[in-house]
Amino acid sequence: QSVLTQPPSVSAAPGQRVTISCSGSNSVMRNDISWYQQVPGTAPKLLIYDTYKRPSGIPDRFSGSKSGTSATLAITGLQTGDEADYFCATWDPNVQSVFFGGGTNLAVL
Amino acid sequence: QVQLQESGPGLVKPSETLSLSCTVSGASISTSYWSWIRQTPGRGLEWIGYISDGGTTNYNPSLKSRVTISVDMSTNHVSLKLTSVSAADTAVYFCARNFDYGASVWHDAFDVWGRGTLVTVSS
């Protein structure tokens, strides 16, 4: 069983808003969450760190949040270029290790 | 602009040692944390470990007994060694820079990645 659980796939139409969830145990979700976008054949790209902060250059269409045992990545104004796999990640200080979610494939239909 | 480039053998025999190098350009390796991460279709992304700007290492507990990450300041390279490999170690291996802002370094946030290199373990 994965430390972080994501839905295998989500889909939405261009221009719409989509959310991707990342759930874990109470202890794991006490830590901050990062989110990545990965287009097949390329390296992951950091979208969100510290649960809700965006690195420089990431548009505000991407936002992160967390409530209880679940973190969420929201993408508004969907574009076909947003089609990719999305991963969440966290550092668990109790285990001293980084864990990644299994990834969610986003289809923009 | 910071760029990372992984290099090393694409094929390693079972029970042998996988050795990869990451060339860092545009930044000094002495000023950041550097991580290795691998990816397989079946197991997704897996963090291997990091080396800090002070040379401290931290490894994934599941790989700790077989992993060594080191740096060469003179050539600005970060190296990965994984011993006693098996088919389960077949993966695309990425080196990445840990994101830092102000005085903080994020262990789970990687803002610069190499393109990755496929390593196949097979006889």
Side-chain angles (χ1 to χ4, degrees):
Chain A
Q1 186 176 355
S2 298
V3 171
L4 297 175
T5 302
Q6 299 181 236
S9 62
V10 296
S11 63
Q16 296 296 303
R17 177 180 184 268
V18 71
T19 61
I20 298 172
S21 63
C22 173
S23 61
S25 66
N26 281 313
S27 61
V28 167
M29 297 308 286
R30 273 199 287 267
N31 308 305
D32 70 79
I33 300 293
S34 296
W35 287 95
Y36 296 86
Q37 175 194 64
Q38 185 179 32
V39 174
T42 70
K45 176 182 179 181
L46 180 65
L47 296 176
I48 299 289
Y49 71 98
D50 203 6
T51 304
Y52 62 90
K53 297 175 182 175
R54 286 184 305 275
S56 173
I58 301 301
D60 59 7
R61 298 191 300 111
F62 296 90
S63 63
S65 63
K66 187 171 65 172
S67 179
T69 59
S70 185
T72 300
L73 173 70
I75 310 171
T76 59
L78 270 177
Q79 303 170 2
T80 54
D82 295 330
E83 285 202 329
D85 294 319
Y86 291 82
F87 296 88
C88 58
T90 192
W91 165 258
D92 187 341
N94 294 320
V95 185
Q96 292 283 295
S97 186
V98 176
F99 295 99
F100 288 92
T104 299
N105 179 259
L106 169 63
V108 180
L109 306 172
Chain B
Q1 180 185 0
V2 181
Q3 292 184 313
L4 309 181
Q5 177 66 60
E6 304 88 350
S7 60
L11 181 64
V12 181
K13 289 183 169 53
S15 80
E16 295 190 346
T17 296
L18 179 161
S19 295
L20 296 175
S21 182
C22 175
T23 302
V24 177
S25 58
S28 170
I29 59 173
S30 63
T31 60
S32 296
Y33 283 44
W34 306 93
S35 290
W36 285 94
I37 297 154
R38 66 184 184 181
Q39 186 171 30
T40 63
R43 296 196 308 277
L45 289 164
E46 182 177 31
W47 176 75
I48 298 170
Y50 73 68
I51 185 164
S52 75
D53 53 358
T56 302
T57 54
N58 202 336
Y59 303 130
N60 185 323
S62 70
L63 299 170
K64 189 173 184 177
S65 63
R66 299 193 291 132
V67 174
T68 302
I69 296 175
S70 60
V71 296
D72 185 332
M73 298 289 188
S74 65
T75 59
N76 228 39
H77 281 73
V78 184
S79 296
L80 169 70
K81 289 192 188 301
L82 181 66
T83 62
S84 304
V85 298
S86 68
D89 295 309
T90 294
V92 174
Y93 286 75
F94 295 98
C95 62
R97 185 180 72 174
N98 286 64
F99 178 73
D100 63 74
Y101 188 79
S104 299
V105 176
W106 272 264
H107 292 109
D108 60 334
F110 311 100
D111 64 336
V112 182
W113 295 65
R115 290 186 176 184
T117 186
L118 173 63
V119 178
T120 301
V121 179
S122 175
S123 56

